[in-house]
Amino acid sequence: MEQVSETFTVDLRRLNVLRELQRRGSLASTAAALHLTPSAVSQQLATLAREAGVPLTERDGRGVRLTGQARVLLAHADLIAAQLERARADLAAYGEGGRGAVTVGCFSSGILGLLPAALCALGDRLPHVRIDVVEAEPPDLFTALDGGQVDVAVAVDFAAAPPHTDRRYSRVDLFTDVLDVALPTGHRLAGRERVALRELATEAWIVGDARSCCGAVARSVCAAAGFTPDVRHAVNDWGALAALVEAGQGVALVPRLVRPLHAHRDLAVRPAEGEPPSRNVFVAVRTGAEGDPVLAAVREELRRAAAAVVGA
């Protein structure tokens, strides 16, 4: 490998491949996230290493791991990406942010309970800005944010979400979404004002897929209560989940964000006893993009909608 040149240049697209490898941990996962083949990812990394003049990966069993030089380069890559976002935001601000298009990625219950109010307010505030919504959750949501397919990410903190310390994102916590217990109206505990989760340890449970935010959070809440739920039905659709509970097929945890959906159902929705189980909802943009006037307006209206949810 040649010595590092004082005038070396690197391709920003290849830097993004390296950033994704750091995040995903394997060539196969990186390739899948970027819609490339593992061979193409390896070629991109090899070319980047030649451009930088330093080794960026080394063999680790059947996979690869990042070298110390790669981690040095990645620290600069994060700063470069943030500066480019600031440049884009400055250009948007120069044009006063009155036109354009924004894509918001959000989890399903956030689309139901949070986005409608925010979108209505934004329609009045930014009438010439097109706002699209896609349903997505981490990690795919943040892969889309990294790649520019999504401009604003609304997500829940759980294992698949990026940590608070991730420098690639500028994030704002919106609110704490409390989870309540949903029971069939004929359930033995339906008459209680509050329900202790441990009393449901032997029940059949209806829970989202383990990879989804609500599925992961529900499982961790049950674990904290001292049991592993007997998941009879893995359901991510809130309407389907409510229908199954209503039919007596199990019990579930439902976020207060979905109250408009289960309000008309014949369900007994009760607070959990003790410290209520909850999840943190946040909004994130790419670091450097927080100065974009349109994205700033989107985040502001999301905060207002979140405040209304908390006050309801």
Side-chain angles (χ1 to χ4, degrees), residues 186-206:
H187 192 276
R188 59 188 172 83
L189 301 178
R192 299 269 189 91
E193 289 188 8
R194 294 181 176 273
V195 175
L197 287 176
R198 61 181 176 276
E199 293 189 70
L200 301 173
T202 61
E203 300 280 344
W205 279 79
I206 305 165

Side-chain angles (χ1 to χ4, degrees), residues 141-153:
L141 172 56
F142 284 86
T143 297
L145 184 62
D146 291 340
Q149 293 84 24
V150 164
D151 303 296
V152 179

